[in-house]
């Protein structure tokens, strides 16, 4: 035997499903027809839901776009990389004042100690920065140059990539060679039509020979990231600071190794600096997540305010929809009586009006999404913005939920109507 004859129960369930489908389909088209036949009233009815959905999606898009921008341009320390420096970034003002009294700079001795004792890292490198330098070539001058002294290993960690020429080598580092690797801002100013490799430029009163040019990075918040010169850290110390304050970059093999490696570096630095178990760190360990956590705390406040505004608009929009649905129940009392006299159950009437309410609110959500996409195009001219799929799903889902919630009362009122009294109602 390969089949069983349908039972009465299965036939009844199929009939109920079919009846529910027909009711839902009719309610859907009735709702669309009502929206189409009263366009102005529909627009005013759905205005609250439209504004709420548009506001929600635009704010989520701007925050998402800024998150991506911060992650790419500000918090990009390198793949699986964290930085040991004098201070922990993104801490409160009071904590920073306390750290300022307690923390000590990272020196070359600290870097060498970590290089020799940390186990399992992929790459380790050190940098020292000196902002606001002046570069000269012939009669040309570039101001506010970011001068960096680096170890050769920073080519595997930092943002700078070689466009042509070469980076700082081990030989340059060992011999404190007066060479430099420059950004495109200096190339555009000093060597617009000339190969810069082998040319000598002057940074302050020190002369460096150009050995390579970096790939163009671009701008961050309108500030060029290509106005820099990189020299060997040993040459930097020789020319400027013999005990330069360093940032030590440590790269892990994987994201899973990041936390254990941070703990190992913290433990070694605490031992090296003879800190007791209850002493605070007198150094800072910073990763991309440190910056992203601060940024997300800032945007979290903005998002919380937005949620409050959206909630107000949604409630107002829901109340308006409920009133319209109550008026619709009154206008269609005779129709409800006819349906009940023909066998429609209370559940059928209830379902019909709830679906109509949800379709109305959902239509407002879709209009809000389309409006948000148009606004997003305008917003992108001024700030970065990216519409996440989750914002669209939340917008539609929230508007439909509002329609379902505020449609319950009108639907239950329609379902409770007495069929005889309803048939007596004037059409």
């Amino acid at each position: 035997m390969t089949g069983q004859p349908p039972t009465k129960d299965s036939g009844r369930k199929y009939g109920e499903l079919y009846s529910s489908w027909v009711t839902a389909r009719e309610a859907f088209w009735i709702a669309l027809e009502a929206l189409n036949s009263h366009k102005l009233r529909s627009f005013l009815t759905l205005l609250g839901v439209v504004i709420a959905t548009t506001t929600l999606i635009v704010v989520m898009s701007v925050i998402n776009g800024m998150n991506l921008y911060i992650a790419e341009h500000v918090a990009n320390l390198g793949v699986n990389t964290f930085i040991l420096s004098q201070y922990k970034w993104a801490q409160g003002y009071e904590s920073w004042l306390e750290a300022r009294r307690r923390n000590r700079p990272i020196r070359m001795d600290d870097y060498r100690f970590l290089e020799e004792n940390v186990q399992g890292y992929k790459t380790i490198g050190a940098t020292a920065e000196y902002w606001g330098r002046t570069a000269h070539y012939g009669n040309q001058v570039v101001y506010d140059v970011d001068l960096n002294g680096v170890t050769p290993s920073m080519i595997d960690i930092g943002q700078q990539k070689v466009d042509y020429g070469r980076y700082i080598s081990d030989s340059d580092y060992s011999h404190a060679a007066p060479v430099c690797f420059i950004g495109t801002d200096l190339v555009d100013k000093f060597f617009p039509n000339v190969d810069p490799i082998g040319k000598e430029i002057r940074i302050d009163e020190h002369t460096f020979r150009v050995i390579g040019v970096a790939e163009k990075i671009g701008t961050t918040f309108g500030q060029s990231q290509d106005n820099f010169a990189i020299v060997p850290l040993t040459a930097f110390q020789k020319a400027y600071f013999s005990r330069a304050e360093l940032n030590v970059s440590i790269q892990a093999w994987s994201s899973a190794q990041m936390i254990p490696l941070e703990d190992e570096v913290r433990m070694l630095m605490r031992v090296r600096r003879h800190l007791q178990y209850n002493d605070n760190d007198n150094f800072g360990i910073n990763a991309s997540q440190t910056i992203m956590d601060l940024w997300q705390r800032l945007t979290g406040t903005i998002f919380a305010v937005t949620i409050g505004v959206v909630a107000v608009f949604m409630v107002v929009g829901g109340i308006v929809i409920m009133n319209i649905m109550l008026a619709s129940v009154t206008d269609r009392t005779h129709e409800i009586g006819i349906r009940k006299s023909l066998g429609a159950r209370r559940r059928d009437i209830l379902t019909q009006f709830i679906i109509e309410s949800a379709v109305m609110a959902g239509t407002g959500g879709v209009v809000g999404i389309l409006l948000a996409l148009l606004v997003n195009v305008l917003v992108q001219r001024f700030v970065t913005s990216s519409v996440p799929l989750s914002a669209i799903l939340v917008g539609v889902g929230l508007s439909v939920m509002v329609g379902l919630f505020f449609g319950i009362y009108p639907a239950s009122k329609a379902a409770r109507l007495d069929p005889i009294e309803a048939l007596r109602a004037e059409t």
Side-chain angles (χ1 to χ4, degrees), residues 230-261:
I230 294 175
V231 301
L233 180 56
T234 47
F236 180 91
Q237 291 178 299
K238 182 179 178 181
Y240 291 95
F241 307 103
S242 58
R243 283 176 54 78
E245 297 181 7
L246 304 182
N247 292 315
V248 177
S249 299
I250 301 164
Q251 187 176 41
W253 287 97
S254 65
S255 58
Q257 193 197 7
M258 284 279 287
I259 300 300
L261 202 56

Side-chain angles (χ1 to χ4, degrees), residues 372-388:
L373 294 176
L374 291 176
V375 173
N376 189 60
V377 173
L378 298 176
V379 169
Q380 284 181 329
R381 296 186 178 186
F382 305 99
V383 297
T384 180
S385 177
S386 175
V387 181

Side-chain angles (χ1 to χ4, degrees), residues 221-233:
F221 297 118
Q223 186 71 32
S224 174
Q225 302 300 301
D226 298 295
N227 193 27
F228 65 84
I230 294 175
V231 301
L233 180 56

Side-chain angles (χ1 to χ4, degrees), residues 150-425:
V150 303
T151 57
S153 55
M154 286 304 297
I155 186 60
D156 299 321
I157 305 175
Q159 282 187 310
Q160 292 83 14
K161 303 299 177 188
V162 177
D163 188 11
Y164 56 95
R166 64 175 178 83
Y167 197 68
I168 306 298
S169 68
D170 291 334
S171 176
D172 298 330
Y173 179 75
S174 301
H175 296 90
V179 296
C180 64
F181 178 77
I182 60 177
T184 53
D185 282 7
L186 272 65
V187 175
D188 294 341
K189 183 70 175 181
F190 293 158
F191 312 105
N193 300 306
V194 180
D195 183 0
I197 306 301
K199 302 293 189 300
E200 290 186 341
I201 65 173
R202 193 156 49 85
I203 301 177
D204 298 326
E205 67 274 19
H206 307 288
T207 301
F208 295 92
R209 180 169 54 86
V210 178
I211 58 171
V213 174
E215 292 180 358
K216 189 175 182 62
I217 299 174
T219 62
T220 299
F221 297 118
Q223 186 71 32
S224 174
Q225 302 300 301
D226 298 295
N227 193 27
F228 65 84
I230 294 175
V231 301
L233 180 56
T234 47
F236 180 91
Q237 291 178 299
K238 182 179 178 181
Y240 291 95
F241 307 103
S242 58
R243 283 176 54 78
E245 297 181 7
L246 304 182
N247 292 315
V248 177
S249 299
I250 301 164
Q251 187 176 41
W253 287 97
S254 65
S255 58
Q257 193 197 7
M258 284 279 287
I259 300 300
L261 202 56
E262 288 180 19
D263 291 341
E264 183 183 357
V265 170
R266 177 176 288 107
M267 183 270 293
L268 287 171
M269 286 300 296
R270 288 182 65 86
V271 170
R272 176 173 171 77
R273 293 189 170 184
H274 308 292
L275 297 177
Q276 300 297 317
Y277 73 94
N278 56 349
D279 290 339
N280 293 321
D281 294 342
N282 57 6
F283 51 86
I285 293 179
N286 304 283
S288 299
Q289 194 59 40
T290 307
I291 301 173
M292 293 307 298
D293 286 345
L294 173 65
W295 172 250
Q296 287 169 0
R297 284 200 297 274
L298 294 174
T299 56
T301 304
I302 298 173
F303 191 69
V305 173
T306 303
I307 291 296
V309 173
V310 168
V312 170
F313 279 121
M314 280 293 183
V315 169
V316 171
I319 291 173
V320 173
I321 289 175
M322 183 174 67
N323 287 331
I324 293 298
M325 292 303 299
L326 285 171
S328 178
V329 170
T330 303
D331 293 342
R332 294 159 60 187
T333 301
H334 191 75
E335 173 196 326
I336 295 170
I338 293 174
R339 291 200 62 187
K340 284 198 167 186
S341 66
L342 294 177
R345 297 163 296 182
R346 294 181 62 177
R347 187 177 63 184
D348 297 329
I349 304 298
L350 185 75
T351 304
Q352 176 185 343
F353 279 87
I354 287 180
I355 290 177
E356 285 187 32
S357 177
V359 169
M360 290 181 66
T363 303
V366 171
V367 173
I369 290 170
L370 296 176
L371 185 59
L373 294 176
L374 291 176
V375 173
N376 189 60
V377 173
L378 298 176
V379 169
Q380 284 181 329
R381 296 186 178 186
F382 305 99
V383 297
T384 180
S385 177
S386 175
V387 181
L389 178 62
S390 59
I392 294 176
L393 296 177
V394 168
V396 174
L398 192 60
S399 57
V400 171
M401 291 297 294
V402 167
L404 289 173
F405 180 79
F406 285 94
I408 290 176
Y409 176 66
S412 62
K413 185 177 179 181
R416 289 197 305 268
L417 285 175
D418 182 78
I420 298 175
E421 294 296 329
L423 283 171
R424 289 175 179 169

Side-chain angles (χ1 to χ4, degrees), residues 121-132:
Y121 64 79
K122 182 179 180 182
T123 311
I124 186 169
T127 62
E129 289 189 345
Y130 198 15
W131 295 82

